[in-house]
Amino acid sequence: MSVMKRLSMIFKSKANKALDKMEDPRETLDYSYQRQLELLQKVRRGVADVATSRKRVELQLNGLEQSARKLEEQGRKALSVGREDLAREALQRRSGIQSQMADLKVQHDNLQAEEEKLTTASQRLQAKVDAFRTKKETIKATYTAAEAQTRINEAFSGISEEMGDVGLAIQRAEDKTAQMQARAGAIDELLASGALDDVTGSRGDDIQAELDRMGGGMDVELELARMKAELGQGPAPQSAIEQGQPQQQAQPHQQGQTQHLRQPGENA
């Protein structure tokens, strides 16, 4: 197969598929029904034209018949007054009119037969168009119901193009939301650890951060000293303020507490 034939076949197949996708059976049925109505209208117009021609021939026949009767009366009058020549002339004219009448009668019979034939065809076509219209409406209703049912099923199953786009949009929104939440959490952790500077100044400077760290360490030392004092292994813990001041002499009640914690047998 040559390249041109293959290209032609591919183009035709693509075009046929595109046309099949674009075609709506309801529109096609409506178009066919419209064409049948146009054909029926032409047949009816033909019947009317033939009937008009037949009527015109009938009028001509009536006129010729009147002329023939008049010539016959004129011939009788001419004979009654002894004018045989006038009577002969009248009869000759009447004979020519009768010949025309014979031709018109043949034409009239043909037109009448044609009119009857077209009338029968028009009636049959009318019945066919009516039946097609009923079938067309039935097919359209069935197709519309099937189309609606298909869309409903696709919506429920989520395989329609619209529902697929909605699902993708929701998935993208959820992914972006999760990403933003993770980013916000990471930034909070970095700000808390001091790895990032807070340009708004709401978290304090580096000196304050260092003081906070030292304060946390002092709290641990104070708690450790308190536990040792309770076990008699060291003096009572001092507060952070006392640690920052010169060491003062212990109060008498503290000394008594220390002596009270000494083991038996030790010197006072």
Side-chain angles (χ1 to χ4, degrees):
M1 182 180 292
S2 64
V3 177
M4 294 303 297
K5 287 184 178 180
R6 291 184 62 186
L7 289 175
S8 177
M9 182 177 295
I10 293 173
F11 176 77
K12 289 180 180 179
S13 62
K14 295 291 185 181
N16 185 41
K17 185 177 181 181
L19 291 175
D20 184 67
K21 185 177 181 180
M22 293 173 58
E23 182 183 8
D24 190 341
R26 293 166 295 187
E27 296 178 355
T28 304
L29 290 173
D30 288 336
Y31 177 75
S32 299
Y33 178 69
Q34 186 65 31
R35 293 289 297 172
Q36 291 186 12
L37 288 179
E38 293 176 359
L39 179 60
L40 178 61
Q41 188 65 25
K42 289 181 179 180
V43 173
R44 289 177 174 175
R45 191 179 297 112
V47 173
D49 292 340
V50 172
T52 301
S53 299
R54 177 184 57 78
K55 191 64 177 178
R56 188 180 299 112
V57 171
E58 289 179 355
L59 293 175
Q60 291 178 358
L61 283 172
N62 292 334
L64 291 176
E65 287 179 355
Q66 291 177 2
S67 297
R69 285 196 297 269
K70 182 178 180 180
L71 289 172
E72 185 178 358
E73 292 176 358
Q74 289 176 350
R76 290 179 184 275
K77 288 181 181 180
L79 285 176
S80 63
V81 296
R83 294 291 305 272
E84 185 178 349
D85 55 338
L86 290 176
R88 185 178 291 108
E89 180 66 23
L91 291 175
Q92 288 178 353
R93 291 182 181 180
R94 188 173 73 92
S95 177
I97 289 176
Q98 287 177 345
S99 177
Q100 293 178 10
M101 290 175 61
D103 294 338
L104 286 176
K105 284 182 179 180
V106 173
Q107 186 177 358
H108 177 271
D109 293 339
N110 293 334
L111 289 174
Q112 189 172 6
E114 187 68 21
E115 181 182 356
E116 292 176 355
K117 185 186 300 183
L118 289 176
T119 301
T120 303
S122 176
Q123 293 174 351
R124 291 179 179 177
L125 183 59
Q126 179 67 55
K128 185 177 180 179
V129 170
D130 293 340
F132 180 80
R133 180 181 59 186
T134 303
K135 187 175 182 179
K136 172 182 73 73
E137 294 300 329
T138 303
I139 294 175
K140 286 176 61 178
T142 305
Y143 181 84
T144 302
E147 183 182 30
Q149 186 64 37
T150 301
R151 290 184 177 180
I152 291 173
N153 293 338
E154 289 179 350
F156 277 119
S157 61
I159 61 174
S160 63
E161 183 178 356
E162 293 82 0
M163 294 300 295
D165 294 339
V166 172
L168 290 176
I170 294 175
Q171 183 64 37
R172 288 195 300 269
E174 291 178 349
D175 292 342
K176 288 184 178 180
T177 301
Q179 184 178 1
M180 293 300 294
Q181 290 176 347
R183 183 178 179 86
I187 292 176
D188 288 340
E189 292 179 359
L190 292 174
L191 288 173
S193 64
L196 290 180
D197 293 333
D198 189 357
V199 295
T200 61
S202 59
R203 292 184 176 272
D205 52 15
D206 54 348
I207 297 176
Q208 183 63 39
E210 182 64 22
L211 290 175
D212 293 339
R213 186 183 64 78
M214 291 176 62
M218 290 180 181
D219 292 340
V220 174
E221 294 297 331
L222 288 174
E223 184 65 24
L224 181 60
R226 184 179 297 110
M227 293 176 65
K228 288 181 177 181
E230 291 177 355
L231 297 175
Q233 297 178 2
Q238 297 179 351
S239 64
I241 297 176
E242 293 176 349
Q243 290 179 0
Q245 296 178 356
Q247 186 174 3
Q248 298 178 357
Q249 185 176 0
Q251 296 297 329
H253 67 277
Q254 293 178 349
Q255 295 177 357
Q257 182 180 2
T258 304
Q259 293 176 0
H260 177 71
L261 292 175
R262 291 178 181 176
Q263 297 294 331
E266 294 182 358
N267 293 328

